[in-house]
Amino acid sequence: MREKLQRLRDWLLIPYHYWQGVFWALVYGFPTRGMTVIGVTGTNGKTTTSFMIYEVLRAAGKRVGILTTVSYGANGRLTTPHEHATTPHPRLLNQRLRALRKRHIDYLVLETTSHALAQNRIWGIKIDSAVLTNMTHEHLDYHGTFERYMEAKRKLFLKAEFGIVNAEDEVAPLFLASVPHSMTFGVDAGDLRASNIKLESDSVQFALCYRDFCANPKMPIRSNIAGEFNVYNALAAAAVGLHYGLNLADIAEGISNLDSVDGRMEVVDVGQPWTAIIDYAHTPDAFAKLLPDMKKAAKKDGGRLIVLFGSAGGRRDPSKRAPQGELAGQYADVIILTEEDDRGTPAEEIFGDIEEGISKTRFAKKNLYKIEKRPEAIEFAVEMARRNDVVLFLGKGHERTLERAEGDVKYYELDYVRRALKRRFASGNRVENKK
């Protein structure tokens, strides 16, 4: 009953959110007027795709700004926000957009969430192109059903002139029907495809194919962000580049210029003889895309895949916990369960839900560890890792706080992982990771 009342309250607040969007757009004078705005939405991959698009446009010499979960700014000068929201409150959003306008940008890459679309936070922003990375079950704690979640995402396409859609996603036809003109992408299907994919633990490369034409495989597109799922992100960015008339050289240069995204497949290397990666993956779909590739990367060099993660508490959707556990059980050699924004939900309840999924696999219970405090869990993972292992720190990514019962606690995953690595390898004897 309490959950239903909270959901009802959220929906009753929609008119309030709408007028907030209208009011602040008027106050700040519609700051995106005259800009070409590229909106990026989807369940996973929004942030990385946004940065790839930003770098592709920069490589072509465009004056471009960006506003995402992890940073905002223009022309190479970026600022890190401290709030959790990807698309902030209309007042802050329009304030930042006006600041970007003063930097005389022509293009804006705008990461856009379902919450922001449902609450009309981007009211008054004319969308030129809309990009859909993928759609899976997420945020049902807010939207209630997958259909409502999908309709919220579709609002971005209904505002756009051109759509770029993952052809391999089951919702693709609905989104393609929502825009006058479109282009599709995918590894195996779509106008824009990838061939000759080569995966490494720290990168991926592929040849680009547009309909019946494939580029020279000896001149591949290389992404410094690992995982086959990042091929899809790169294809989406390439599709944007082609739509705006950029040449293949600029597209390839822009994608390769992106060394990393804060908390997105971020490799942390202080000389340890194994690979440490921080990623924001916190949904079953993200696990399904990430873990098989990382398992292959570890196995290729005779190492283990160690996966550290938790699942959110509070009002967040608990139904994703068991699927997360099942996927981890299928691919990980070692699982370390820990906190991830529990918001007062007991750790044993969250861990129990995850373990239900793990129990469906052949995962050895002796390799399952439960360490409630995340900093302690990170120390444990670093201490147990050995040569050629791949260690994944999942769920927190770029975020600057942990949400506990007592409130938000200052926390940044990269700092804790780096400190743990330096403590273990304090001798200063650098040993390169074996690739």
Side-chain angles (χ1 to χ4, degrees):
M1 177 61 70
R2 183 181 176 187
E3 291 291 323
K4 289 182 179 179
L5 289 173
Q6 288 173 327
R7 191 172 293 156
L8 177 63
R9 185 200 65 180
D10 289 338
W11 283 99
L12 289 174
L13 283 172
I14 287 177
Y16 166 79
H17 292 306
Y18 174 81
W19 289 112
Q20 284 282 311
V22 172
F23 178 77
W24 292 110
L26 290 168
V27 167
Y28 284 95
F30 298 91
T32 59
R33 188 176 291 160
M35 297 180 194
T36 298
V37 181
I38 302 157
V40 181
T41 197
T43 305
N44 298 304
K46 297 186 297 296
T47 304
T48 301
T49 299
S50 296
F51 271 96
M52 286 182 174
I53 295 169
Y54 171 73
E55 290 294 348
V56 163
L57 291 168
R58 287 188 69 208
K62 307 297 184 183
R63 293 181 298 184
V64 55
I66 187 170
L67 199 156
T68 75
T69 306
V70 302
S71 59
Y72 63 93
N75 305 319
R77 296 171 56 195
L78 304 180
T79 301
T80 301
H82 292 284
E83 68 275 0
H84 269 213
T86 295
T87 313
H89 181 278
R91 178 181 183 179
L92 184 56
L93 174 64
N94 280 278
Q95 187 180 75
R96 287 175 179 169
L97 291 174
R98 188 166 73 173
L100 290 176
R101 183 180 184 86
K102 291 179 179 178
R103 295 169 73 171
H104 308 292
I105 62 173
D106 298 316
Y107 292 84
L108 172 69
V109 184
L110 180 66
E111 183 180 354
T112 315
T113 64
S114 59
H115 288 71
L117 290 162
Q119 295 175 3
N120 295 291
R121 290 183 212 163
I122 64 167
W123 190 90
I125 298 175
K126 186 178 183 299
I127 304 296
D128 188 71
S129 298
V131 179
L132 178 73
T133 58
N134 50 61
M135 277 286 293
T136 61
H137 288 247
E138 172 71 335
H139 300 306
L140 300 191
D141 53 291
Y142 178 79
H143 297 287
T145 67
F146 181 73
E147 288 69 30
R148 288 175 179 169
Y149 174 48
M150 184 169 56
E151 285 303 313
K153 294 284 191 187
R154 196 165 73 95
K155 289 176 72 173
L156 183 69
F157 280 69
L158 293 170
K159 292 167 63 71
E161 295 294 320
F162 192 85
I164 294 168
V165 177
N166 183 342
E168 297 173 16
D169 199 291
E170 63 181 15
V171 305
L174 178 65
F175 282 79
L176 291 170
S178 304
V179 285
H181 310 285
S182 61
M183 183 187 300
T184 58
F185 66 90
V187 170
D188 300 313
D191 300 316
L192 204 61
R193 291 171 285 107
S195 65
N196 297 330
I197 298 172
K198 295 181 180 178
L199 301 172
E200 299 291 342
S201 62
D202 62 349
S203 64
V204 62
Q205 65 180 39
F206 61 93
L208 191 65
C209 298
Y210 181 67
R211 294 180 178 166
D212 295 328
F213 170 76
C214 287
N216 186 347
K218 293 182 179 179
M219 300 176 64
I221 288 179
R222 175 187 170 87
S223 169
N224 296 312
I225 304 174
E228 185 172 342
F229 56 93
N230 273 305
V231 173
Y232 289 87
N233 298 336
L235 285 170
V240 171
L242 290 175
H243 172 60
Y244 290 109
L246 308 188
N247 60 50
L248 186 58
D250 287 335
I251 291 169
E253 180 185 347
I255 292 170
S256 66
N257 282 347
L258 184 62
D259 289 327
S260 65
V261 178
D262 189 9
R264 302 305 194 274
M265 292 303 291
E266 188 171 8
V267 177
V268 189
D269 188 351
V270 301
Q272 77 275 9
W274 47 272
T275 303
I277 297 174
I278 296 172
D279 192 71
Y280 189 50
H282 62 284
T283 67
D285 181 66
F287 275 36
K289 289 181 170 69
L290 170 64
L291 298 184
D293 288 349
M294 294 299 99
K295 177 67 171 180
K296 289 176 188 175
K299 191 174 180 180
K300 184 176 69 173
D301 292 330
R304 302 170 299 168
L305 178 61
I306 300 173
V307 184
L308 179 151
F309 71 101
S311 197
R315 292 179 57 200
R316 300 308 189 267
D317 183 9
S319 66
K320 68 179 183 177
R321 295 171 191 163
Q324 284 178 289
E326 187 171 356
L327 286 160
Q330 288 175 13
Y331 295 104
D333 297 295
V334 177
I335 295 174
I336 303 169
L337 298 182
T338 190
E339 64 178 321
E340 182 193 307
D341 298 331
D342 58 69
R343 302 179 178 90
T345 302
E348 57 268 23
E349 178 182 327
I350 295 173
F351 293 172
D353 290 342
I354 295 171
E355 286 182 83
E356 283 184 22
I358 296 173
S359 67
K360 296 178 182 179
T361 71
R362 296 182 178 180
F363 184 81
K365 288 187 177 180
K366 66 179 182 179
N367 294 325
L368 173 63
Y369 301 91
K370 292 177 279 188
I371 304 172
E372 183 175 347
K373 296 304 181 185
R374 197 167 181 107
E376 295 173 15
I378 287 172
E379 291 279 353
F380 180 79
V382 168
E383 286 298 321
M384 78 176 313
R386 60 194 188 212
R387 181 174 292 275
N388 296 336
D389 286 348
V390 174
V391 185
L392 301 178
F393 303 90
L394 304 182
K396 289 302 296 176
H398 65 286
E399 292 179 343
R400 294 315 203 263
T401 59
L402 269 172
E403 296 183 25
R404 292 174 173 161
E406 66 269 26
D408 290 0
V409 177
K410 187 176 179 181
Y411 177 88
Y412 183 38
E413 191 99 298
L414 178 60
D415 287 344
Y416 281 93
V417 173
R418 189 175 281 151
R419 279 200 292 266
L421 287 168
K422 287 181 178 179
R423 275 193 286 269
R424 182 173 173 189
F425 297 94
S427 64
N429 295 324
R430 185 177 178 82
V431 183
E432 294 293 342
N433 283 335
K434 183 178 178 181
K435 302 299 185 188

